[in-house]
Amino acid sequence: MVIKQVELQHVCGITSKLPDTGQVEVAFAGKSNVGKSSLINALMNRKSLARTSAQPGKTQTINFYNINEAMYLVDLPGYGYAKVSAKWGKLIEDYLHQSKMLHAVFLLIDIRHAPSNNDRIMYDWILRNGYQPIIIATKLDKIKRSQLQKQVKLIRETLEVEKDTI
């Protein structure tokens, strides 16, 4: 898909009503500071569409990016950061349960570490709700090439995923 137009169209906080976009939605989930915003910016070929920060827990809303008036990329708040997890967990859960147009969920995992318990919970939730999660291992540039296969195996084993999932 050639991206001609992308804009942040809806921002939903804990008191907001989730929009019924009427278009295909794909969501990006992952713990705080895993690189969701950086990946979104790279995919959209924009430097600062999604806010990035070295501080975990910066994205505290569900952000709906309209792409070419044809679909939405949905950036979910990061989970697993103690200061915001309790607040935003319900928001994420409500979106995942209520969206009528959600077609795919990308789960971002930091390749440098074993998936956390929160990663496991999110992965299992995605499966239980009929989605086939698409796992994206991030921060590859932070490990040695010789560690790659070991870390991919660790993710597969911890999440108990099918061999070709990552």
Side-chain angles (χ1 to χ4, degrees):
M1 167 188 273
V2 175
I3 298 170
K4 295 180 181 179
Q5 176 188 358
V6 61
E7 68 176 316
L8 176 60
Q9 198 158 56
H10 303 285
V11 177
C12 298
I14 52 177
T15 60
S16 302
K17 183 177 184 229
L18 293 166
D20 181 4
T21 65
Q23 293 176 327
V24 170
E25 297 171 8
V26 295
F28 285 75
K31 67 183 178 183
S32 295
N33 223 25
V34 75
K36 289 186 308 297
S37 297
S38 295
L39 178 62
I40 290 167
N41 286 335
L43 290 172
M44 299 298 109
N45 197 25
R46 305 290 194 280
K47 289 190 187 261
S48 58
L49 179 67
R51 285 187 359 198
T52 60
S53 172
Q55 178 185 359
K58 202 66 169 173
T59 302
Q60 298 182 358
T61 54
I62 297 178
N63 299 320
F64 291 77
Y65 297 95
N66 187 322
I67 303 168
N68 295 343
E69 297 291 328
M71 66 176 290
Y72 282 86
L73 187 151
V74 181
D75 184 11
L76 301 173
Y79 56 79
Y81 183 60
K83 289 185 180 177
V84 295
S85 282
K87 284 183 185 177
W88 308 115
K90 182 163 176 22
L91 181 63
I92 295 168
E93 185 177 358
D94 287 348
Y95 168 72
L96 294 173
H97 280 294
Q98 293 175 21
S99 175
K100 296 176 179 104
M101 300 304 293
L102 181 60
H103 285 240
V105 180
F106 293 88
L107 179 59
L108 281 66
I109 305 286
D110 186 334
I111 197 165
R112 299 173 298 175
H113 312 288
S116 67
N117 187 50
N118 286 329
D119 290 326
R120 176 73 188 192
I121 289 167
M122 180 59 78
Y123 179 78
D124 289 342
W125 185 93
I126 294 167
L127 286 174
R128 278 195 320 274
N129 284 275
Y131 299 102
Q132 183 59 47
I134 302 160
I135 298 173
I136 299 175
T138 63
K139 310 220 179 202
L140 185 65
D141 60 323
K142 309 278 186 195
I143 65 168
K144 294 179 183 173
R145 190 173 179 93
S146 61
Q147 295 176 300
L148 177 62
Q149 291 307 315
K150 177 183 156 214
Q151 294 305 110
V152 168
K153 182 179 178 188
L154 179 63
I155 293 170
R156 281 187 182 131
E157 289 174 354
T158 303
L159 296 179
E160 299 174 11
V161 300
E162 306 267 333
K163 185 176 181 187
D164 295 330
T165 300
I166 297 179

